Amino acid sequence: MGDRIENSPYKFKMHMNETENFLCQTKPLSSDEYKLLTNRIDEIYQVNLILDNLPAIRYTKRDTYFLRWTGYPIGIKVQDSYYVFNHLKFTVLVHKYEETNVANVMGTGDAAEVIPVGKQDSDVPGYIVVGFEVTPCSYKHNAESLKNLKTYGKYPSKIVCEDNTVTMAIKENEPVAFTYEVAFVESDIKWPSRWDAYLKMEGAKVHWFSILNSLMVITFLAGIVLVIFLRTVRRDLTHYEELDKEAQAQMNEELSGWKLVVADVFRAPGHPALLCVMVGDGVQILGMAVVTIMFAALGFMSPASRGTLVTGMLIFYMVLGILAGYVAVRMWRTIFCGDHKGWVSVSWKVACFFPGITFLILFTLNFLLWHSNSTGAIPFSLFVILILLWFCISVPLTFVGGYFGAKATHIEYPVRTNQIPREIPAQKYPSWLLVLGAGTLPFGTLFIELFFIMSSIWMGRVYYVFGFLFVVLILLVVVCAEVSLVLTYMHLCVEDWKWWWKSFFASGSVALYIFLYSINYLIFDLKSLSGPVSATLYLGYSLLMVLAIMLATGTVGLLSSFWFVHYLFSSVKLD
C-alpha cells in the first residue's frame, strides 16, 4: 500500500555472514510495559521488515507442506506464559553478477545503497539481493554475558535458533535482550524473478470456482432476460401491431401490464438532481475500477513498487471526472427534455458528492488516529495535497465534462408523458422488498473474491490475482445489468411506472450485503482486533468501500434499465 517505513537497527554487510550479534537490551519491564507487550502478543501483532524493497518472508511447516507469511509475530503464548521472539535468524538470498554496471541498471530507489557497485575494471563479483527470509526465535540469554556488551558486539556463547522451542519468557521487572544472525546464500533466482515467491498464486481452484459460480448466476439471469425479450415483448408487440384500428381501440380498454404506463414511464423521478449526481459519480468509480484492475492485471502495478495501486486509482479517478460530468449533465438534460439550465450546479454537485463524503470519513478516522498517536494516520500535509488535487484537477475536469454534456444532444423519449400521473394499483407485496432481495444475486458472484480482498487489506497478505478480479468485475457488471433489467420489467408489468430509483437500488443493494459481510468478517475473522478505535476504523473504511460499490453497481443497473425501457417503448407504435 506504500505505508511509511522507518530504518531498523539491524545492520548487514553484503556477503558477510555474522552470528551472535548483540543488538540491545531493554530496561526492566514496568507493569504497564509488561501488560502492553502481553496484549500485543494476544492480538497477534506482526513485525514487518523490508530489505532492498523485499518484505521479510517466514516459512512455517504444516504436515507435509510449507506456509508462507510476510513478517513475523512479536511473541507467542504457550499455556499461561508469554514468550517474546528476541533472536532473529536472517537468510539473504543473493545472485552473483559479473558485469559491474548491472547494479546501476537494476538498483531500485530503496536499493541504491544496498547493492555494491564495483569499479569498472574490478574482477571482484558483485551481488544482488533476490530473497529475504526470517526465522524468529525465543532465546534466553545469560545475564552475566550481556553486562559489558555494546551494540553490534559478539555474544560470547553460541545461540541455537530453533523455531519450535521457546525459552525467553517475559516477566515484570526483568529486561529483554535482542540478538540476530545473518547468513548470505547464493541463489539461481534472477533479479526479474525475485518477487515470484511472494506472488505464487495459491488456491487458484477457489478463484475458478468463484468464476464458475458467477457464470451460472449469469446464465440463469440471461435465460430470464431472453424470455422477456423474445417471448413476452415480441409476442405483445406483434399482437399489438397486427390489429386494425377498431380492434386496437377495443383492446386498449382491455390492455394490461407495461403498455398501460406508456404515458408515465418517462415521467421525471423524485430528486432528479441527486440521481444524476449519483450516476455521474458511479460512472467515475466504475471506470476507475475497470482501468486500475486492467492495468494491475497486465502487470503495470506490481507490489514491488509500493503504493502504485493507490496512486494509480487516484490519478484514474481524477481524469475520469470528465466522464462523470458528461454523463450526469446529459442525463439531467434528458430527464428535463433538453433544458440547458442547471448544468453548472449538477457538475459542481458531481465533483463534490463522493469526494466530499470520502474526505469527511477520512478526516473523522484520522482525527481518531491522531488522538491515539498512531503512525497509521495520514499526515496533515498529505491531506492538503489531496484537497489541492481535488479542487485543482478533479473539479475543473468535471466541469469540462459537464460543458460537453450540456452541448451534446439529449436523448429523445419515444413516447409523450401525460400531464396527470397515472395511479399505481395496490401491490400484493412492497416493491422495495423485491429491490433489496435483488442484491443477493450480484453478491453471490463476488463474495468468494471478496474474502481474498478483505484478507489482503486487513491481514497484510499480498493480493495479486488481478486477472481473476478483472473477470469477476466484468461478470458483476453483467449480473447487475440483468438483475436490474428483470426487476424493471416486473415493475412495469404490474403498472408501477416509478422505475428510476428502483432500478438503481436493485443492483446497488449488493452494497448492503457487502456491509453485512464486513461486519461478519470483523466478528469472526478479526477476533484479535482490539479497542473501539480499531473497530471504528474498520467500519469507517468498510462504509467508504460499500458506498463506492453502491454508486458503481447502481449506475450499471439504472443505465441498463434506461436503455431497456427506451428500447421497449420505441418499439410500440402509438399516437
Side-chain angles (χ1 to χ4, degrees):
M1 297 291 281
D3 294 326
R4 281 172 292 166
I5 51 177
E6 300 284 339
N7 281 331
S8 75
Y10 297 101
K11 270 191 182 174
F12 301 166
K13 284 177 184 160
M14 180 57 93
H15 218 268
M16 194 178 285
N17 295 349
E18 291 179 288
T19 54
E20 289 89 39
N21 268 18
F22 172 72
L23 194 65
C24 62
Q25 185 175 20
T26 68
K27 302 191 299 289
L29 297 178
S30 67
S31 60
D32 286 345
E33 287 168 337
Y34 171 78
K35 196 176 171 188
L36 179 72
L37 194 54
T38 52
N39 279 348
R40 293 291 179 261
I41 291 170
D42 280 335
E43 291 157 2
I44 322 173
Y45 263 65
Q46 297 276 327
V47 180
N48 290 293
L49 295 167
I50 295 173
L51 175 69
D52 186 18
N53 209 21
L54 287 177
I57 206 165
R58 176 171 60 97
Y59 291 96
T60 53
K61 191 168 184 183
R62 182 170 293 177
D63 303 329
T64 55
Y65 59 95
F66 283 93
L67 288 173
R68 288 193 326 277
W69 309 86
T70 47
Y72 64 92
I74 54 170
I76 191 169
K77 186 181 181 183
V78 179
Q79 287 154 355
D80 291 329
S81 299
Y82 290 92
Y83 295 87
V84 69
F85 289 127
N86 61 335
H87 178 81
L88 298 182
K89 182 182 180 180
F90 294 109
T91 307
V92 181
L93 304 180
V94 290
H95 184 75
K96 185 160 76 170
Y97 63 88
E98 303 300 334
E99 300 85 0
T100 49
N101 63 345
V102 169
N104 292 333
V105 178
M106 295 197 171
T108 60
D110 293 333
E113 71 280 6
V114 178
I115 298 171
V117 182
K119 293 173 189 166
Q120 295 300 320
D121 54 352
S122 169
D123 295 330
V124 181
Y127 296 94
I128 295 177
V129 176
V130 291
F132 183 37
E133 296 167 11
V134 64
T135 306
C137 309
S138 178
Y139 182 81
K140 178 93 175 143
H141 298 90
N142 185 329
E144 287 297 315
S145 305
L146 295 168
K147 271 186 181 170
N148 300 316
L149 275 181
K150 288 192 170 68
T151 306
Y152 309 121
K154 270 274 192 235
Y155 182 72
S157 54
K158 185 170 173 59
I159 296 173
V160 181
C161 179
E162 292 176 352
D163 55 355
N164 54 357
T165 55
V166 286
T167 53
M168 183 60 213
I170 47 172
K171 292 170 184 159
E172 275 187 52
N173 301 321
E174 281 190 20
V176 179
F178 290 88
T179 51
Y180 69 99
E181 60 185 274
V182 58
F184 285 84
V185 179
E186 286 195 29
S187 166
D188 293 332
I189 298 168
K190 298 270 197 315
W191 172 275
S193 311
R194 67 185 201 145
W195 273 87
D196 290 1
Y198 301 86
L199 308 180
K200 270 186 190 148
M201 196 170 62
E202 278 157 2
K205 283 181 185 170
V206 179
H207 295 285
W208 283 118
F209 171 74
S210 162
I211 287 171
L212 199 68
N213 170 42
S214 310
L215 283 171
M216 285 170 70
V217 174
I218 282 182
T219 314
F220 166 68
L221 284 169
I224 298 175
V225 172
L226 211 64
V227 166
I228 289 172
F229 269 105
L230 295 180
R231 184 172 160 271
T232 322
V233 178
R234 282 283 168 218
R235 188 196 63 198
D236 287 359
L237 290 176
T238 48
H239 187 49
Y240 200 72
E241 285 160 13
E242 281 166 7
L243 297 167
D244 57 16
K245 287 277 187 289
E246 206 174 305
Q248 198 167 323
Q250 185 190 344
M251 190 188 166
N252 271 344
E253 293 168 21
E254 301 161 9
L255 271 181
S256 64
W258 58 268
K259 290 179 242 53
L260 285 172
V261 295
V262 70
D264 293 277
V265 74
F266 290 110
R267 192 176 297 285
H271 310 291
L274 179 63
L275 185 68
C276 293
V277 166
M278 287 169 85
V279 168
D281 276 333
V283 167
Q284 195 175 1
I285 293 162
L286 184 68
M288 175 198 73
V290 170
V291 177
T292 308
I293 293 168
M294 192 167 71
F295 271 88
L298 293 170
F300 288 104
M301 293 178 178
S302 162
S305 317
R306 285 192 315 277
T308 47
L309 195 68
V310 180
T311 311
M313 282 167 72
L314 269 174
I315 292 166
F316 294 139
Y317 181 81
M318 287 188 300
V319 171
L320 285 164
I322 293 179
L323 193 62
Y326 178 83
V327 171
V329 170
R330 194 157 180 214
M331 191 166 173
W332 167 264
R333 291 188 60 225
T334 299
I335 290 173
F336 289 102
C337 303
D339 186 12
H340 277 282
K341 290 173 192 167
W343 76 265
V344 175
S345 164
V346 171
S347 301
W348 174 247
K349 285 171 187 167
V350 169
C352 294
F353 180 71
F354 181 69
I357 294 170
T358 305
F359 268 94
L360 190 69
I361 292 173
L362 283 181
F363 192 78
T364 309
L365 297 180
N366 261 289
F367 191 75
L368 288 172
L369 286 169
W370 284 327
H371 186 68
S372 53
N373 299 321
S374 168
T375 53
I378 299 172
F380 187 73
S381 57
L382 189 60
F383 251 113
V384 174
I385 292 167
L386 287 173
I387 288 170
L388 286 172
L389 284 173
W390 176 18
F391 282 104
C392 298
I393 298 175
S394 187
V395 173
L397 285 176
T398 310
F399 273 102
V400 169
Y403 174 76
F404 284 116
K407 289 285 174 202
T409 53
H410 69 281
I411 301 162
E412 295 279 353
Y413 288 149
V415 290
R416 281 203 306 274
T417 303
N418 283 351
Q419 291 290 321
I420 302 161
R422 178 189 175 84
E423 192 181 339
I424 299 170
Q427 309 294 335
K428 290 177 189 171
Y429 46 83
S431 58
W432 284 105
L433 202 65
L434 202 61
V435 167
L436 286 175
T440 52
L441 288 165
F443 179 71
T445 67
L446 64 81
F447 81 97
I448 295 174
E449 212 58 47
L450 196 64
F451 171 77
F452 287 99
I453 293 167
M454 299 284 261
S455 300
S456 156
I457 295 170
W458 300 111
M459 301 281 204
R461 292 174 190 161
V462 177
Y463 182 88
Y464 204 61
V465 284
F466 288 108
F468 280 114
L469 186 60
F470 188 67
V471 174
V472 169
L473 181 68
I474 300 300
L475 297 180
L476 175 68
V477 168
V478 175
V479 171
C480 285
E482 290 178 346
V483 162
S484 186
L485 203 142
V486 171
L487 235 78
T488 301
Y489 183 73
M490 285 169 73
H491 281 124
L492 293 177
C493 281
V494 291
E495 299 170 45
D496 183 351
W497 47 265
K498 292 183 177 178
W499 60 272
W500 294 88
W501 280 106
K502 284 167 190 167
S503 67
F504 185 90
F505 285 114
S507 51
S509 60
V510 66
L512 174 70
Y513 296 97
I514 292 174
F515 191 65
L516 292 174
Y517 180 83
S518 303
I519 294 168
N520 168 72
Y521 190 84
L522 173 67
I523 295 165
F524 295 104
D525 290 272
L526 296 174
K527 295 190 192 91
S528 60
L529 208 63
S530 71
V533 174
S534 295
T536 309
L537 268 182
Y538 173 84
L539 290 172
Y541 285 125
S542 297
L543 197 65
L544 191 59
M545 178 179 78
V546 160
L547 178 68
I549 290 169
M550 183 197 78
L551 291 172
T553 53
T555 298
V556 171
L558 181 87
L559 294 178
S560 57
S561 287
F562 180 80
W563 170 82
F564 169 69
V565 172
H566 194 277
Y567 168 82
L568 184 60
F569 284 91
S570 58
S571 310
V572 182
K573 287 179 180 149
L574 283 172
D575 299 334

